[in-house]
């Protein structure tokens, strides 16, 4: 909870304002007190967008939706002013953390707690659907864990049956990672889409991890359409129910009543000791005004891909007096991400493969071969020494695939920085020629990473060919141990499942006459391409640990590439 600032009004309508609760893309949310002393959450639309017809329509829709839906799982509307500026609405104030905040603080929840929460949220959805309304943005940030059970908030993009969409062409409602595949592909968001979001939300609750990984919005959405949800480590029965809810075909998903039945809950959620331990009883709230001089509490910027409360979690913990500000979720999360989806017809899974560390003469010194046969999980190999691409090479490769490669370096630091280690999975297809060779290395001085890493590759004995082999284009991907926020270049605590920073595809036979290496330098020769944008590679010092290097055979389309080898090096 944040103190009021000088720029904030002292009163909205009949409600005295006490503190700031949070901010959304369209509005500021305050803790208020009604004339009779009741605590309320007051959402005020921003002055700078009051002239935007779509914004006003969305705000009015939220007010009408909250007014219409009278449920134990939603905060009831107390008052509203929708005719003239300032536009605002006031709802019941519900103390308690968001599911996002609670799991971020504690980690994944036990299976029994998840089942009770699953059933309660499914009952909440059923209640909302009974009014002919779909929520369309269910996610951990929009679930408050209250003393009487979970509450659904933010109906800013909810829609009743027969209403028209407010989103612009090329945009999909909801949040990447929680938006159903059919919605991402252009279909209407029906009740089944809410069930998908429910399953994704419970996957997060059970694992403490984003259900379809991290990265830019387009990459996460691509995974939601094409990849399985992350339920690694989840109790099998619960994992099966989550997977049923996020089935790619909406017709295959259970309805909320079936979800409740499969949860088999026999106890009240509020009796669950783990649930009680999440701070659902809230903390004391101010009974007097908290106006301060100057800006006071530091501003947390909005993440356009994930909504106002999402600015890269987990955040540093605020001081005790401000804890409720991070936890209480009556905040308006109205902003819709203005992102474009990547094409969904990209080739290759890009998600498995790899062969290990430093490769010499076709043998991985970490124990794996450099060109695993198809029996080891690889795809049909490219014709040896023959044409490697159907046309001119792609200028880059898209970061549109999920990559599960993880390279683990040797326990000996000196060996690890020279690329001696092991990758966790075999490659997708055989490398060309008489043996693909690679070497990766960096320097480490007194435990600190060097400024660059060297990546070398070549085809053994290519110089012995009678004529130049047909081109075979390879792009090298280098990824840090943790996911990196492209806009800041800083890691956050999540395993890196992105393809990473990649080099421009190069013909592996470039030096066939001399037998010389193709040499690349990280970060100079590497960039990230995703969602139509390009980011420079982050420095090695940004994320010490085991970095993974994957070699991809690239065709004439940036989305069509498959791994042929994997290696890595240690930083620090």
């Amino acid at each position: 909870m944040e103190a009021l600032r000088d720029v904030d009004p002292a009163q909205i309508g009949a409600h005295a304002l006490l503190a700031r609760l949070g901010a959304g893309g369209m509005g500021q949310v305050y803790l208020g007190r009604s004339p009779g002393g009741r605590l309320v959450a007051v959402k005020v639309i921003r002055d700078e967008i009051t002239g935007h017809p779509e914004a006003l329509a969305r705000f009015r829709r939220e007010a009408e939706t909250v007014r219409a839906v009278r449920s134990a799982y939603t905060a009831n509307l107390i008052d509203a002013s929708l005719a003239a500026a300032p536009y605002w609405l006031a709802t019941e104030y519900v103390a308690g953390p968001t599911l996002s905040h609670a799991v971020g603080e504690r980690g994944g929840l036990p299976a029994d707690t998840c089942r009770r929460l699953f059933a309660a949220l499914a009952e909440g959805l059923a209640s909302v659907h009974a009014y002919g309304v779909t929520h369309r943005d269910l996610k951990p940030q929009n679930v408050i864990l209250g003393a009487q059970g979970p509450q659904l908030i933010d109906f800013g993009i909810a829609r009743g049956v027969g209403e028209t969409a407010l989103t612009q062409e090329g945009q999909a409602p909801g949040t990447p990672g929680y938006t159903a595949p059919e919605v991402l592909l252009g279909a209407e968001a029906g009740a089944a889409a809410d069930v998908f979001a429910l399953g994704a939300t419970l996957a997060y609750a059970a694992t403490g991890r984003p259900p379809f990984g991290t990265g830019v919005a387009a990459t996460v959405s691509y995974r939601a359409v094409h990849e399985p949800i992350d339920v690694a480590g989840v109790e099998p029965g619960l994992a099966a129910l989550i997977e049923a809810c996020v089935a790619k075909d909406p017709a295959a998903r259970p309805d909320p009543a079936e979800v409740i039945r499969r949860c088999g809950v026999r106890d009240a959620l509020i009796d669950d000791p783990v649930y009680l331990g999440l701070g659902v009883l809230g903390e004391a709230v101010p009974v007097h005004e908290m106006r301060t001089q100057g800006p006071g509490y530091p501003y947390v910027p909005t993440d356009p891909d994930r909504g106002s409360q999402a600015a890269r979690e987990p955040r540093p913990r605020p001081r005790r007096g401000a804890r409720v500000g991070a936890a209480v979720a009556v905040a308006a999360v109205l902003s819709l991400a203005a992102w474009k989806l990547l094409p969904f017809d990209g080739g290759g899974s890009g998600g498995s493969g790899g062969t290990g560390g430093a490769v010499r003469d076709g043998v991985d010194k970490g124990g794996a071969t450099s060109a695993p046969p198809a029996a080891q999980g690889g795809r049909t190999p490219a014709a040896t020494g023959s044409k490697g691409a159907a046309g001119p090479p792609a200028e880059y490769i898209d970061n549109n695939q999920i990559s599960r490669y993880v390279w683990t370096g040797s326990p000996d630091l000196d060996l690890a920085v020279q690329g001696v280690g092991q990758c966790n999975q075999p490659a997708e297809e055989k490398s060309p020629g008489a043996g693909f060779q690679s070497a990766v290395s960096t320097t480490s001085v007194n435990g600190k990473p060097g400024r660059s890493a060297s990546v070398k590759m070549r085809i053994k004995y290519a110089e012995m060919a009678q004529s130049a082999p047909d081109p075979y284009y390879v792009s090298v991907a280098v990824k840090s141990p943790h996911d990196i926020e492209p806009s800041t270049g800083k890691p956050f605590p999540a395993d890196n499942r992105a393809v990473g920073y990649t080099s421009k595809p190069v013909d592996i036979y470039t030096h066939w006459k001399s037998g010389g290496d193709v040499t690349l330098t990280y970060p100079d020769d590497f960039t990230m391409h995703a969602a139509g944008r390009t980011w420079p590679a982050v420095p090695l010092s940004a994320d010490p640990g085991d970095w993974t290097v994957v070699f991809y055979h690239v065709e004439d389309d940036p989305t069509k590439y498959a791994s042929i080898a994997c290696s890595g090096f240690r930083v620090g």
Side-chain angles (χ1 to χ4, degrees), residues 231-299:
V231 288
V234 177
E235 186 270 325
L238 177 60
L241 180 54
I242 290 171
E243 289 171 333
C245 288
V246 299
K248 306 303 184 188
D249 179 2
R253 297 171 200 151
D255 61 18
E258 175 65 12
V259 172
I260 295 170
R261 187 194 69 77
R262 291 182 60 174
C263 286
V265 170
R266 300 185 183 277
D267 304 302
L269 178 61
I270 195 61
D271 292 332
D272 187 303
V274 175
Y275 184 78
L276 283 175
L278 298 176
V280 300
L281 299 180
E283 298 186 38
V285 296
V287 293
H288 59 281
E289 294 186 72
M290 299 168 58
R291 188 173 301 278
T292 61
Q293 300 297 318
Y297 197 78
Y299 170 68

Side-chain angles (χ1 to χ4, degrees), residues 268-561:
L269 178 61
I270 195 61
D271 292 332
D272 187 303
V274 175
Y275 184 78
L276 283 175
L278 298 176
V280 300
L281 299 180
E283 298 186 38
V285 296
V287 293
H288 59 281
E289 294 186 72
M290 299 168 58
R291 188 173 301 278
T292 61
Q293 300 297 318
Y297 197 78
Y299 170 68
V300 178
T302 296
D303 180 339
D305 289 340
R306 299 176 59 196
S308 63
Q309 296 186 21
R312 289 304 170 191
E313 300 175 10
R315 300 182 189 131
R317 296 186 182 183
R319 45 188 196 280
R320 177 69 175 176
R323 284 283 298 277
V324 180
V328 175
V330 192
V333 193
L334 285 174
S335 57
L336 280 177
W339 42 270
K340 299 288 186 180
L341 296 179
L342 289 173
F344 289 113
D345 57 354
S349 67
S352 63
T355 58
V359 178
R360 299 290 186 275
D361 298 332
V363 178
D364 179 354
K365 301 306 181 184
T369 60
S370 63
Q376 289 181 265
R379 300 195 305 207
T380 304
T384 301
S386 64
K387 195 173 186 65
E395 288 296 313
Y396 59 89
I397 65 175
D398 260 336
N399 197 346
N400 68 331
Q401 300 180 6
I402 187 170
S403 171
R404 294 187 175 89
Y405 298 106
V406 176
W407 180 86
T408 303
S410 166
D412 185 312
L413 174 62
D414 291 337
L415 293 177
V417 297
Q418 296 301 317
V420 177
Q422 179 69 46
C423 266
N424 61 328
Q425 290 180 304
E428 294 173 292
E429 66 178 43
K430 286 185 176 180
S431 58
F436 177 80
Q437 298 179 323
S438 67
V440 298
S441 63
T442 187
T443 57
S444 180
V445 181
N446 296 325
K448 295 183 179 180
R451 292 180 178 273
S452 63
S454 174
V455 181
K456 298 181 179 181
M457 56 183 175
R458 69 177 183 132
I459 298 296
K460 184 179 181 182
Y461 307 131
E463 67 274 19
M464 298 179 65
Q466 298 299 312
S467 59
D470 288 334
Y472 185 95
Y473 293 99
V474 175
S475 177
V476 180
V478 176
K479 68 173 187 175
S480 51
H482 302 98
D483 205 353
I484 299 288
E485 168 55 51
S487 62
T488 65
K490 302 293 185 182
F492 51 97
D495 293 338
N496 193 347
R497 294 194 175 189
V499 171
Y501 298 94
T502 57
S503 67
K504 182 177 180 179
V506 60
D507 179 15
I508 195 65
Y509 293 111
T510 297
H511 304 298
W512 72 276
K513 278 191 174 182
S514 63
D517 298 329
V518 174
T519 302
L520 300 168
T521 300
Y522 183 92
D524 299 354
D525 298 324
F526 292 79
T527 52
M528 178 183 290
H529 300 269
R533 295 180 59 188
T534 302
W535 289 270
V538 298
L540 296 176
S541 58
D543 194 17
D546 286 346
W547 289 54
T548 303
V549 178
V550 184
F551 300 83
Y552 289 101
H553 170 212
V554 186
E555 299 182 26
D556 56 352
D557 184 323
T559 66
K560 295 181 179 179
Y561 50 95

